[in-house]
Amino acid sequence: MGYKSLAACIEDLDKNGHLLRIKEEVDPYLEMAAIHLRVYENQGPALLFENVKGSKFKAVSNLFGTLERSKFMFRDSLAKIKQLVELRSDPIKALKNPIAYAGTALTALSALPLKQSLFKQTFSKTSISSLPQIVNWPMDGGPFITMPQVFTEDIDKPGVMNGNLGMYRIQLAGNDYIQDQEIGLHYQIHRGIGVHQTKANAKGKPLKVSIFVGGPPSHPLAAVMPLPEGLSELTFAGALGNRRFRYFYDDEGFCISADADFVITGTVYPQQNKPEGPFGDHLGYYSLTHPFPLMKVHNVYHKNDALWSFTVVGRPPQEDTSFGALIHEITGSAIPQEISGLKEVNAVDAAGVHPLLFAIGSERYTPFLKERKPQEILTIANHILGKNQLSLAKYLFIAAREDNEALRTGDVGPFLQHMLQRIDLRKDLHFYTNTTIDTLDYSGDGLNTGSKVVFAAAGEQKRELWNEFPAKINLPVGFSVAKIALPGIAVIGAKPFSTADERSKEMLRLTEALRSDDLSGLPLIVVGDDSEFTAATLNNLVWVTFTRSNPAADIFGVDAFTKDKHWGCNGPLIIDARKKSHHAPELIKDAAIEERINRLWEKGGSLYQTKH
């Protein structure tokens, strides 16, 4: 739909049964987030908080909480947007079928950003402390903007068409920030804003930053969309929203989104950082306090009756899971077209997205060989790990499409079993050590520091996967009875360890105990703090295994060896996924807050109807 504003979207959702209004006063400290989380867990509607304690502004959340609702909001533009992304990724298609793609170029052209200064009079000014001060998790360092659109321009090529619109979290208060004068920006240097900041730093000039909150739902979606090179986020927002992105510049030269509900402007000066965080993040843990760029606030603008848009991130699935599903719906074909031989790739949401990738590629290098083995898919794996956000992955499992054309990366259990049936643990593990991982991932031994591993499998099935752990095996002292989490995967509980030397000795005892028996049907063993929890669901297994391990440090093997600097094992692979002392704490809900928000589900409460 061509919504002119967030309010127009809310009105449409309300009329069509996709929204609930919360009339009770709700505290932005933990309560609003707790309500959102509970509603999302039950796949409930979008929420309009009409009475936010301490602020005159209303707030909206869970807009993208279900794929169904997201598709509803973009029901008039989704099909042509898919064509636009497809065409940008593979322009030859337009030459092969010009009639089918005739309207796509016009769509992009008609969606170009529109400069209009007449909107200047629609904004008033306020302060950072007047905004809803939403704190999501008990240990968060302060209130954050969790659904921002952060706009910057290239200092060498100014103008909106060379600008970047991204979604990077913003800390509004807390730590050492001077209230109403300073806020914190969290982003990696390779992101669009980081490139712009590097250029500004080189010239010794401040980077101008505009933070938009609210506006039509096409705007925040454009801010997180992994777009093909040359397709600007503002043009994409216009095409997706059936309404050109309208903007103007204020008297200080900052770009203002004319349709945003709020705009915060400010400058980032070279080498000026302050501690930012902690923040409950999408891996299911807190990202801790680290120095990140400091933004000096210039102005805070708002529309009359402005709506503050927010979300809550935490252990998946969350609203950003649905966000991701919509993005995949739109761009699913884009990345495979950019990497030769790649059929599909999936960042596994249950593992926090970045830690774990599944991929399927072609294995055509040696068609004359009787037995297929990983070759081309290793080349494809290197391409994947060098691609934008995919480069943050720690674990990449890649299969050959020729082994099963029906295999899909989105089917987590079947995909893992396909891999474990075929992988040769002596040859098919390929490590990348002393490299970079996600800033938010604390499984490594330092910020942004860790390792990666590729599991590559091609060829005929090598083993049948077992559904039971052999009763005759006696586990060493300190290890508990194993649970089968998935055919071929056993989880063994273990007590915490205090030193690396202690861990090495106990893992040696474990591998020796497992070495004496045939365990060919259990190629993967996970060691965890709580085997019952880890094995209880597939989501638990994936989350624990891949968020609590650093491949080079935490992978062991039964009868392991190194040959020509290649590591392998003759028996099962073991991943030590216990919590380590350097890991960040996991996210735990506040019991008192959970009890307090029950009032909204009681008879007469705004959310009573969602109980039935």
Side-chain angles (χ1 to χ4, degrees), residues 256-279:
I256 309 296
S257 168
D259 291 330
D261 288 68
F262 298 86
V263 180
I264 304 170
T265 62
T267 45
V268 175
Y269 285 83
Q271 311 309 320
Q272 287 196 9
N273 301 316
K274 276 194 174 183
E276 184 266 0
F279 178 74

Side-chain angles (χ1 to χ4, degrees), residues 116-123 243 246 248 258-259 303:
Q116 286 191 342
S117 58
L118 58 89
F119 288 95
K120 287 185 177 182
Q121 287 71 38
T122 64
F123 284 93
R243 176 179 169 82
R246 288 155 167 78
F248 61 88
D259 291 330
K303 292 280 188 67

